[in-house]
Structures are given as structure tokens and as C-alpha cells.
Amino acid sequence: MIPELSNASVFMKDPQRVQEILESMLKAGSNTLQVISDFDMTLTRFAYNGKRCPTCHNIVEHSSLISSDCTEKLKELLNYYYPIEIDSSRPVEEKIPLMVEWWTKAHKLLVDQRIKKDMLAVVVRESEVMLREGYQLFFNHLHEHSIPLLIFSAGIGDILEEIILQAGVFHSNVKVFSNYMDFDETGLLTAFKGELIHIYNKREGALLNTGHFQELRTRPNVLLLGDSLGDLNMADGVQDMENILKIGFLNDKVEERKQSYLDTYDVVLVKDETMEVPNAIMLYLTGNK
Ligand code: TMP
Ligand code: MG
């Protein structure tokens, strides 16, 4: 098998099944492969030197774009709703209205701050956001092999794009589904566009984008990367799926959540801040072992 799957951070409920999926995907060839990944805390680091790294929302929250009063209010929302997001004892149905509440309140607070579009690049540059170690290989290799990468994020699309742009990896094979800001003709934030994507409605988001999955119908093999149980539905729009390998980063509240991750993700990466395992799998599937 792939040697990196023996790393100390890797946990699998059924290694034999992982092996079978990988073999079947390898046999089908990398021209049948597509990658679907979450962004915050999946492609970006959860922590660095013991300190939490920011999500797209946190970048704005900690920036000079908004008043200290607004920062405070966003922090209060985070402190209240984030523990609910990751609480494995509450059913998802119960969490959905609360997540809608969180995102709606946060976006309303941001819209009231008259944020300027041309400042986004500056706040991203000044932020402490970090893509996971090994991200260059991940993005560049997928691009070189013309494998489509869909980044499916409940974060903020404008911030996310700026992060991968500044990192030099916003290649032509990358497509983003996310919450995008809407600016008026003077470049001031007035609203968020389209249907809200929150942590537990990625299935609905996927089903709204049938055009994208229709274009990729010759790629029925999926590598999925996420860090939340809500990310498991990101591939629900894929047509005539043949194989899917789900890789889940378990960053926080490991003991409480480990079993639910093992039951739903094929490969679970516990407190692993790198792309080492996804990269090894990607190299295997593209014949570069
Ligand atoms: P993701 O789908 O790219 O992982 O983005 C969703 C993350 O954003 C989720 O873990 C919660 C986080 N978030 C904040 O940090 N602050 C906020 O105000 C909101 C609404 C979400
Ligand atoms: Mg995430």
C-alpha cells in the first residue's frame, strides 16, 4: 500500500476497503478523477506553533476593515456557535437552523461595516492564514495532470480566492463554490450573493450546481477532502459516481469525535497539519509513485 498510510496520524476503520477503492481508482486512470475539497481547516492549517490559524471569516474579523465593536460581536458569535458546530452529541438536523443563524448574523454584521473590495488583498496578506504544508505539490500536481479541483467552502469566496492567488496556486483547473461578496459600483460591500452555504448544507449547494458536475461526468472517481462531517456531502452532485475516497482531517475535540469520523471518512488524519497523506494518495492515483 501507500507507505504514508502507516503514518502515526492516520486512522482507518477498514484499511482493506481503502486499498480496494484505491486500486479501483488507479485502474480507472487519472483522467477519470476529480478532487473535491473543503477549504477552511482542510486546505488551510488549523494551528501553527500551538496557535489557532484563521478561517476566511476570522481573517475579516481580525482585520482593520471592521470596527472593534464588530470584531467583538463576531467573536461572541463564534464562541457561541462553534461549539455547537463541532458538538457530536447533537443531531445535524438540530444544528442546521443554528448554523443558518450564525452565518446570517455574521454576514449582516459584515455588510454593515461598508467593507471595501480593494482592501481584501491587503487583509489577506497581513493575516496569519496558512495553507497546509505540501500545498504547492497538491495544487501544482493536480494542475499538471489536468485534474479538476473543486473547492467547496462555507467560508468567503473572495477571501479564499485571494489566499490561493497570493500563494500562487489559483490554477485554471480550480473552481470555487462559496459565499461571495456583492459590491456596489464604488466597491463597497452591500450583500452576499446567491444561496447561503453553511457548514451543513453542502448537499443542497452541490445539487444547485448540476452544470459543473455535468461537465465532469467523464470523471466518476472522486477524492474528497474535508474536516467537518458536513463536508461528506460535497460530492452529492457527482453524476454516476464509481468510487469515492473520503479523507477527513480531525483537528479538534479528537476523542469525542474520533468514532464518528472513523464511521464516515475512509481515512482519518488526526492532528495532522500537512498534505502529506493526500499528496501521497494523489501521486499514487496519477501513477507517480
Ligand atoms: P469551510 O466550509 O471552508 O470549512 O468554512 C466554514 C468554516 O467557517 C466553519 O468551520 C466555521 C467558520 N466560520 C467562522 O470561523 N466564523 C464565522 O463567522 C462563520 C460564519 C463561520
Ligand atoms: Mg472546514
Side-chain angles (χ1 to χ4, degrees):
M1 243 225 275
I2 298 168
E4 287 79 356
L5 288 175
S6 308
N7 286 0
S9 63
V10 178
F11 294 82
M12 292 176 277
K13 189 170 153 182
D14 191 349
Q16 182 60 36
R17 191 169 146 62
V18 169
Q19 168 101 24
E20 283 162 16
I21 298 172
L22 283 170
E23 277 170 13
S24 172
M25 283 168 81
L26 177 67
K27 214 160 137 201
S30 63
N31 59 346
T32 68
L33 182 65
Q34 56 174 303
V35 180
I36 304 179
S37 179
D38 170 55
F39 189 70
D40 291 306
M41 312 295 120
T42 295
L43 292 178
T44 60
R45 289 182 74 116
F46 179 76
Y48 182 64
N49 283 342
K51 192 169 171 259
R52 284 288 296 270
C53 293
T55 61
C56 293
H57 283 91
N58 299 154
I59 290 174
V60 181
E61 185 184 312
H62 297 303
S63 77
S64 55
L65 292 180
I66 61 173
S67 66
S68 51
D69 179 52
C70 182
T71 301
E72 220 27 66
K73 286 185 177 145
L74 285 166
K75 245 189 238 156
E76 281 168 23
L77 291 179
L78 182 76
N79 291 340
Y80 179 75
Y81 289 105
Y82 176 67
I84 300 174
E85 175 192 327
I86 62 165
D87 185 347
S88 48
S89 69
R90 286 172 87 145
V92 169
E93 306 79 66
E94 198 182 299
K95 296 193 211 182
I96 289 174
L98 297 165
M99 294 299 108
V100 173
E101 224 173 77
W102 180 14
W103 261 255
T104 308
K105 284 180 184 170
H107 288 182
K108 165 102 181 56
L109 283 169
L110 293 180
V111 167
D112 289 345
Q113 292 295 305
R114 303 176 64 76
I115 290 171
K116 290 175 82 177
K117 184 178 171 62
D118 58 10
M119 288 302 291
L120 298 183
V122 180
V123 303
V124 167
R125 199 162 292 123
E126 289 174 351
S127 77
E128 293 181 344
V129 71
M130 287 173 86
L131 291 164
R132 282 185 196 269
E133 206 180 303
Y135 75 86
Q136 296 96 332
L137 175 63
F138 180 76
F139 280 91
N140 294 341
H141 191 81
L142 290 177
H143 180 231
E144 280 157 22
H145 288 256
S146 304
I147 297 171
L149 167 61
L150 170 64
I151 303 180
F152 198 155
S153 169
I156 301 172
D158 308 75
I159 299 284
L160 180 170
E161 286 195 7
E162 196 54 48
I163 295 168
I164 56 175
L165 192 69
Q166 289 184 16
V169 292
F170 195 0
H171 301 312
S172 54
N173 63 321
V174 177
K175 167 125 188 174
V176 180
F177 294 171
S178 189
N179 298 303
Y180 277 91
M181 292 172 156
D182 205 356
F183 298 96
D184 67 12
E185 60 288 349
T186 68
L188 282 180
L189 174 65
T190 54
F192 278 80
K193 293 179 190 170
E195 294 295 320
L196 174 76
I197 303 174
H198 61 77
I199 201 93
Y200 291 117
N201 73 346
K202 290 191 174 181
R203 176 180 165 76
E204 288 71 15
L207 297 178
L208 278 174
N209 286 283
T210 45
H212 170 77
F213 294 110
Q214 173 70 20
E215 270 176 44
L216 298 188
R217 65 190 176 283
T218 57
R219 296 179 174 270
N221 292 301
V222 180
L223 196 59
L224 179 145
L225 276 69
D227 80 293
S228 152
L229 297 182
D231 297 329
L232 289 158
N233 297 108
M234 293 188 300
D236 287 7
V238 174
Q239 299 186 1
D240 306 319
M241 177 122 61
E242 275 172 18
N243 296 288
I244 180 164
L245 187 79
K246 296 171 184 166
I247 305 175
F249 287 94
L250 177 51
N251 302 308
D252 201 8
K253 296 269 178 296
V254 171
E255 283 322 308
E256 295 96 304
R257 301 198 294 164
K258 197 164 168 194
Q259 194 56 49
S260 56
Y261 276 63
L262 283 170
D263 289 342
T264 50
Y265 279 104
D266 302 300
V267 179
V268 179
L269 303 174
V270 173
K271 290 201 178 289
D272 180 340
E273 293 289 356
T274 76
M275 294 298 285
E276 191 183 347
V277 174
N279 281 347
I281 290 172
M282 171 189 75
L283 290 173
Y284 172 84
L285 292 177
T286 52
N288 295 60
K289 210 42 238 143

